[in-house]
Amino acid sequence: MDIKSFVKAVLDQRREELSAYFAPDAVIRWHCSNEQFTVDEYIKVNCDYPGKWDGTIERIDKTDNGYIMAVRVYPSDKSAFFHV
């Protein structure tokens, strides 16, 4: 899996590309907010969120079951940032 391409697709909110990165029964967990999503829910949350976004990958860890990553996400004007 090309993690950098995945993160770019998320930041660019390219809905039509995102499902290809997941198994149909994947579970996406945001541990920092204790949220859990199906693939469709994850795509909806990311692609329907308002604004234009950019970001920087800070860390990627590959595990036996997938990937864990930390990404600094910010609006295109860089007025704030969030870790995801």
Side-chain angles (χ1 to χ4, degrees), residues 1 3-4 7 10 19 24 29 35 37 39 42 45 52 55-56 68 75 78 81:
M1 180 171 162
I3 294 293
K4 291 179 182 179
V7 170
V10 171
S19 63
R29 294 186 176 101
E35 293 175 274
F37 303 93
V39 173
Y42 175 81
V45 165
K52 299 286 184 193
T56 305
I68 300 169
K78 297 184 179 170
F81 71 89

Side-chain angles (χ1 to χ4, degrees), residues 38-52:
T38 65
V39 173
D40 289 340
E41 290 168 337
Y42 175 81
I43 291 170
K44 180 172 177 43
V45 165
N46 278 286
C47 294
D48 291 351
Y49 203 86
K52 299 286 184 193

Side-chain angles (χ1 to χ4, degrees), residues 9-41:
V10 171
L11 294 171
D12 291 345
Q13 299 173 311
R14 295 193 309 252
R15 182 183 311 266
E16 64 284 349
E17 294 179 33
L18 289 174
S19 63
Y21 287 100
F22 297 97
D25 60 346
V27 174
I28 298 93
R29 294 186 176 101
W30 289 352
H31 294 283
C32 59
S33 60
N34 202 29
E35 293 175 274
Q36 180 172 301
F37 303 93
T38 65
V39 173
D40 289 340
E41 290 168 337

